[in-house]
Amino acid sequence: MRCPPPAALVALLVVALCLGASGAGRVAASTDFDYPAVFNFGDSNSDTGGRVAAGLESISPPYGSTYFGVPSGRFCDGRLIIDFLLEAMGMPFVNAYLDSVGAPNFRTGVNFAQAGCSITPANPTSVSPFSFGLQIKQFFAFKDKVNYLLSKGDHRQYIPQADYFAQGLYMFDIGQNDLAGQFYSKSEDQVIASIPTILLEFETGLKKLYEQGARKFWIHNTGPLGCLPQNIALFGKDPSQLDELHCVAKHNRAAKLFNLQLHALCTKLRGEFAGASITYVDIYTIKYSLIANYSRYGFEKATEACCGYGGPPLNYDGRVPCGQTKSLNGKLVTAKGCSDSTEYVNWDGIHYTEAANFHIASQILTGKYSDPSFVDKMPFVIKPRF
């Protein structure tokens, strides 16, 4: 397996040269990024094992093969963006809230993200029942239990201290499924018309967290949905529906309008949440630039799945998920992983590879894709571990 994509590595080494080297593959962060705990809410983009722990789905090799050696509950061959960001803050990976196996340690935070979840409340046809509102309820149940255990003096080494809830970072990467799921039954105009309702639900959740003491918010916008092989395969059969990158144009238009309104919401809440910091991160631009300039960043395939079935140009067939064997036309076929996932941006038709996640995290850490920007602070020194 080759090294990380050269451009991503160069970007991180530039930061290292600015600040000097750190040890043990970790990252030295400024006090501005010194959080005692992280509380994450989201979907599969940041799910570190919640859906699998809930028993809603099992995943098999080659998931997890790049870094963990076995499936880790992540819908990826290795680490996710959140994993790299936590490494950058010198923190351990965050455990899934529902994962009770192996004595999970929640002292530095907990992850409520669930693959397939949406911001809006789940319905009988939803992929996951764990909507954003339910994740918020799980957080409050977690906080109440932690405070109870602290009052009894129990399990202090495994749970956050009481002040961690006010000092911790609240991270959000959610909304993709609200948009993508609607395209199966609704027009582009109908999907776009639903965005204010989706964001009202998101705002309600943020306000509940703020009222309970959350003060530091880190919010990712949604990526270019039209560039996922799954959506290209289903909605891109008519070339006139594709953009210059051969992505489904209507999906990307909806994502950009969602992000525009999400950005406006973040700006509004800064004026309403006294004493709070709200960082909006433009994931869309980072991912779209990666797909548009994939070869510059050391990748060889932009919209072809590493783990899939069907071969080029997409290597995606929704009937044969990654790692599974199915019968098609009386023949058993298997969706296998590629020989080198670092050559691919996309992992399984829906999610990104570890190498792509590494690149995306490296771009986030430059600070220039955030509002407010922290590019002038350049707080991170990273020595990538591959």
Side-chain angles (χ1 to χ4, degrees), residues 303-321:
T303 56
E304 180 179 329
C306 167
C307 184
Y309 173 77
L314 299 175
N315 194 36
Y316 178 83
D317 189 323
R319 299 171 296 177
V320 192

Side-chain angles (χ1 to χ4, degrees), residues 254-278:
K256 286 190 283 189
L257 286 170
F258 175 87
N259 292 338
L260 187 67
Q261 294 181 47
L262 175 61
H263 195 181
L265 173 62
C266 291
T267 301
K268 185 188 83 158
L269 293 180
R270 286 192 196 105
E272 297 179 3
F273 287 5
S277 65
I278 301 175

Side-chain angles (χ1 to χ4, degrees), residues 40-54 56-59 63 73-76 80 96 98 111-118 126-131 135 173-174 176-177 348 350-351:
N40 186 70
F41 305 82
D43 51 32
S44 59
N45 290 309
S46 60
D47 181 356
T48 56
R51 182 173 178 83
V52 172
L56 296 174
E57 187 172 350
S58 62
I59 52 178
Y63 283 97
R74 293 161 173 80
F75 288 81
C76 181
L80 305 177
L98 295 180
N111 192 359
F112 300 94
Q114 284 266 358
C117 82
S118 59
S126 295
V127 175
S128 171
F130 294 94
S131 64
Q135 291 181 30
D173 192 330
I174 192 169
Q176 175 174 318
N177 295 316
D348 59 3
I350 306 171
H351 309 98

Side-chain angles (χ1 to χ4, degrees), residues 136-203:
I136 297 292
K137 290 180 179 179
Q138 290 178 321
F139 168 78
F140 289 138
F142 173 79
K143 184 179 179 182
D144 287 345
K145 186 61 180 253
V146 166
N147 286 331
Y148 172 77
L149 292 174
L150 289 174
S151 71
K152 297 293 183 180
D154 296 336
H155 308 292
R156 288 181 175 270
Q157 68 271 36
Y158 299 113
I159 57 177
Q161 296 180 25
D163 58 355
Y164 285 12
F165 292 105
Q167 298 173 5
L169 181 66
Y170 291 74
M171 301 181 73
F172 308 86
D173 192 330
I174 192 169
Q176 175 174 318
N177 295 316
D178 293 88
L179 300 178
Q182 291 190 75
F183 275 107
Y184 289 93
S185 60
K186 295 181 180 179
S187 68
E188 179 182 353
D189 287 343
Q190 288 174 314
V191 174
I192 291 171
S194 73
I195 292 174
T197 300
I198 297 170
L199 290 178
L200 180 61
E201 187 74 21
F202 187 59
E203 180 181 2

